[in-house]
């Protein structure tokens, strides 16, 4: 699964417990009719993947949905979900008009051959 959007927040790496569990969160805002602010967590060595990204950048994040069960001290069972990222990549910025074809390099055009000044030119300029 994947999430695409613009980075709204990149959190600092947090370390928990004696084992040094690391977690870093990122919030991505989707660009659709009803934008959503999706929080994705990167854990352990994946936290470093966020080092080269900045707020405002458009990205695609590959994710896994995680769910777990927890029984509280009163014996009640609770369920929690998380969105865990495992890969992130920058998306290329689209030009304002996506229908504009790329311009070929100048050396792709053949230079004009022999011009005859006596040829009639009917162009108004």
């Amino acid at each position: 699964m994947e999430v695409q959007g613009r980075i709204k927040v990149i959190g600092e790496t947090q370390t928990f417990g004696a084992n040094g569990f690391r977690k870093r969160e990122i919030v991505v805002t989707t660009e659709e009719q009803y934008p959503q602010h999706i929080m994705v967590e990167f854990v352990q060595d994946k936290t470093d993947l966020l080092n080269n990204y900045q707020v405002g950048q458009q990205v695609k994040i590959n994710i896994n949905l995680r769910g777990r069960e927890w029984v509280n001290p009163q014996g009640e069972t609770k369920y929690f979900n998380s969105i865990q990222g495992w890969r992130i990549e920058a998306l290329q910025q689209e030009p304002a008009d996506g229908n504009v074809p790329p311009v070929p390099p100048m050396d792709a055009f053949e230079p004009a051959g022999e011009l005859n000044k006596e040829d009639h030119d009917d162009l108004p300029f």
Side-chain angles (χ1 to χ4, degrees), residues 33-105:
Q33 183 177 2
Y34 300 105
Q36 302 295 308
H37 305 288
I38 308 294
M39 197 266 303
V40 179
E41 62 183 25
F42 285 76
V43 297
Q44 299 299 71
D45 61 333
K46 301 294 184 193
T47 59
D48 295 335
L49 295 176
L50 302 179
N51 291 344
N52 297 322
Y53 293 91
Q54 302 170 3
V55 171
Q57 198 170 6
Q58 286 192 328
V59 293
K60 176 172 73 172
I61 302 175
N62 293 89
I63 61 168
N64 290 325
L65 295 178
R66 298 283 185 217
R68 62 185 175 94
E69 180 180 270
W70 176 68
V71 179
N72 70 13
Q74 292 78 30
E76 299 171 326
T77 302
K78 304 279 185 174
Y79 296 92
F80 297 92
N81 298 318
S82 63
I83 302 171
Q84 202 168 81
W86 54 274
R87 184 169 77 190
I88 182 170
E89 62 185 88
L91 294 177
Q92 297 294 351
Q93 296 285 342
E94 292 290 322
D97 182 4
N99 297 326
V100 177
V103 177

Side-chain angles (χ1 to χ4, degrees), residues 7 9-14 23-27 47 50-51:
I7 297 174
V9 176
I10 300 177
E12 295 296 322
T13 301
Q14 301 170 324
K23 178 173 99 168
R24 191 170 183 189
E25 297 173 340
I26 184 172
V27 177
T47 59
L50 302 179
N51 291 344

Side-chain angles (χ1 to χ4, degrees), residues 114-122:
E114 297 177 21
L115 295 176
N116 187 348
K117 298 217 183 250
E118 296 171 2
D119 285 342
H120 178 42
D121 185 2
D122 60 352

